Amino acid sequence: ILSLSFLVSSCGEGNSSAGAGGGDEAAATVNGVKILIKDVDRVIAQQLGGQEGQLSPIEQAATRIQALDSLITQEALYQQAQKESIVPGEDDIKRFIQNYKVERGFTEEAFAKELQRTNQTEEQFREFVKKQLSINKLYEKAQTQLKVQDREIADIYNANPKRFSIQPGVQLSDIVIDPRDNGAKFDAKGDAQAEQRIRDIKTRLNNGADFATIARQFSEHQSAYQSGDIGFLPRSEFASALPQQMGLPASVGDKLYTMEPGDVTEPLKDSENRWHILKVTGKQNESRDRSLEDANLRKEIQDGILAQRKQVLDGAIQARARDEAKIENFLARRMLENPNSFGVLRPVSAANTGAASAGPSPTVEAQK
């Protein structure tokens, strides 16, 4: 749930918003819990990697509205989880944070530096984890009711059996080193440092280092969270997927197909100046039809059906949470009041909208 690194939502954490002005003003409230403009801007800064200053006023306004809408939904979902008494305990939160540190190789000092880099306190991060675990539990509670019948699996298979044939191709893992400043723990900055890093990694791999461990520690790509695994690439998609998705020449696919499971490539540079080392972790040499007697195939189809239903169900849960909440969006209101200049406006003060009548902004703990 933290694949977006340290994305923070600290709705309701500020008690000093009344009369503070600027970023301490409320952008919105959800059942009286304030979402501050500084929290909206913090999320935008983290999503854009510090490049938000390059946005035009109109782009900034649009980005704020979108970010705020997501924070409103998140707060409404968290409050719904509180109503249903499915908020995680302290042990669950501590266990998750500890696992988070271990998976990323963070010492306590490195974790503190990462918090500082992402402009948040440890308490803010803990509250974010608490909310996300609560929301996950809310989704999971509804998803336990989902079931897939055998006839549904058979219907999907019988509609197009060839669709489920195994195609020739390779299963791949990737280590990516990006010369751009992207906030990774061991961020290589600049072309020279990136090239040196990738060559050091290749030397370590040649000396027997575990590819998955290196990927988790050093890869500057989302696949690091899956130990570098980027999935199965059919041979038929070499010419399209490699250039479009990875920025690598299509000819790389032919090289990969001559390799055996366990082999790794030399460092490869893509069209965006990033370095890759690819590992073939599996290989399929020929097409093979599968029948419904294949347990793995049945599970694939079942998982596909469940994924579609979960997506719809999650949308319904979000809609219900928002429908049942009292939401006041001061930022949107202010923009509507000033449609020709909203790019530079701050939200109207909660004190001037009547929101302050509910008293001080409650903290998450105070709502229990």
Side-chain angles (χ1 to χ4, degrees):
I1 66 171
L2 299 180
S3 60
L4 251 176
S5 186
F6 280 68
L7 176 64
V8 63
S9 166
S10 46
C11 309
E13 70 181 28
N15 291 321
S16 60
S17 59
D24 284 325
E25 292 183 10
T29 61
V30 181
N31 293 322
V33 177
K34 295 179 182 179
I35 302 173
L36 306 182
I37 189 67
K38 67 181 180 183
D39 298 326
V40 177
D41 288 345
R42 185 189 296 123
V43 168
I44 293 172
Q46 290 168 355
Q47 289 175 337
L48 298 182
Q51 301 301 309
E52 66 279 4
Q54 299 179 13
L55 297 177
S56 68
I58 190 70
E59 290 171 332
Q60 185 185 59
T63 304
R64 272 182 171 169
I65 283 291
Q66 292 169 357
L68 177 56
D69 190 67
S70 295
L71 293 180
I72 288 171
T73 299
Q74 184 182 58
E75 180 61 30
L77 286 168
Y78 175 60
Q79 292 185 27
Q80 183 65 38
Q82 288 180 306
K83 283 187 207 175
E84 299 185 21
S85 300
I86 52 176
V87 175
E90 287 301 314
D91 288 344
D92 293 328
I93 297 170
K94 290 178 181 177
R95 189 180 306 112
F96 182 91
I97 293 175
Q98 184 59 35
N99 290 339
Y100 183 88
K101 295 175 184 176
V102 170
E103 287 174 3
R104 286 152 187 81
F106 282 144
T107 62
E108 290 302 319
E109 182 181 2
F111 180 63
K113 288 182 178 179
E114 185 66 7
L115 289 173
Q116 184 178 22
R117 185 188 69 80
T118 52
N119 192 27
Q120 62 183 308
T121 65
E122 186 167 354
E123 180 60 20
Q124 286 174 324
F125 181 66
R126 193 194 73 83
E127 286 299 317
F128 169 64
V129 170
K130 180 179 181 179
K131 287 186 177 183
Q132 291 304 310
L133 290 177
S134 301
I135 293 169
N136 278 4
K137 286 176 176 289
L138 185 66
Y139 287 143
E140 290 166 2
K141 179 181 176 181
Q143 291 168 2
T144 57
Q145 304 174 46
L146 295 176
K147 292 181 174 56
V148 178
Q149 298 181 7
D150 288 343
R151 64 173 178 77
E152 295 177 289
I153 297 174
D155 287 346
I156 289 178
Y157 174 81
N158 292 329
N160 186 5
K162 288 294 182 182
R163 170 187 167 193
F164 302 101
S165 298
I166 295 179
Q167 301 298 315
V170 287
Q171 184 81 21
L172 296 173
S173 289
D174 195 5
I175 294 173
V176 181
I177 301 300
D178 191 338
R180 293 171 294 192
D181 185 355
N182 52 35
K185 180 187 175 186
F186 297 108
D187 189 11
K189 298 177 182 177
D191 293 337
Q193 194 176 101
E195 183 170 0
Q196 184 60 50
R197 174 73 53 76
I198 200 71
R199 301 209 179 279
D200 289 345
I201 288 174
K202 185 61 168 66
T203 298
R204 292 177 65 173
L205 293 173
N206 289 344
N207 291 335
D210 179 62
F211 191 98
T213 300
I214 295 293
R216 286 195 300 271
Q217 290 179 342
F218 294 104
S219 185
E220 299 175 39
H221 185 265
Q222 286 293 98
S223 59
Y225 296 108
Q226 288 78 48
S227 302
D229 182 33
I230 56 175
F232 184 80
L233 182 62
R235 192 176 187 184
S236 61
E237 296 180 14
F238 285 175
S240 59
L242 283 166
Q244 294 174 14
Q245 297 177 20
M246 301 176 67
L248 294 170
S251 58
V252 170
D254 295 329
K255 171 65 176 174
L256 292 170
Y257 200 65
T258 66
M259 296 166 61
E260 296 300 323
D263 291 346
V264 298
T265 66
E266 292 298 317
L268 303 166
K269 202 171 191 180
D270 68 19
S271 59
E272 296 185 14
N273 221 29
R274 300 172 301 183
W275 287 96
H276 298 253
I277 295 178
L278 293 164
K279 179 179 180 178
V280 175
T281 57
K283 186 176 179 181
Q284 178 67 27
N285 290 311
E286 56 186 21
S287 298
R288 178 169 64 83
D289 292 336
R290 293 190 290 174
S291 72
L292 276 177
E293 295 178 0
D294 185 333
N296 290 330
L297 171 60
R298 295 182 68 86
K299 186 175 186 308
E300 286 176 26
I301 297 175
Q302 176 179 286
D303 289 347
I305 295 172
L306 286 174
Q308 291 178 330
R309 291 180 180 172
K310 286 177 182 178
Q311 187 174 13
V312 175
L313 190 62
D314 290 354
I317 292 171
Q318 292 172 18
R320 180 194 64 177
R322 290 184 64 122
D323 286 347
E324 294 181 1
K326 180 182 178 183
I327 297 169
E328 293 186 274
N329 191 323
F330 306 129
L331 182 60
R333 182 186 305 172
R334 190 66 167 166
M335 288 181 175
L336 289 170
E337 291 172 352
N338 298 273
N340 295 313
S341 59
F342 55 66
V344 295
L345 290 176
R346 292 289 182 176
V348 67
S349 168
N352 294 331
T353 64
S357 61
S361 175
T363 64
V364 173
E365 293 295 337
Q367 294 177 51
K368 288 185 178 180

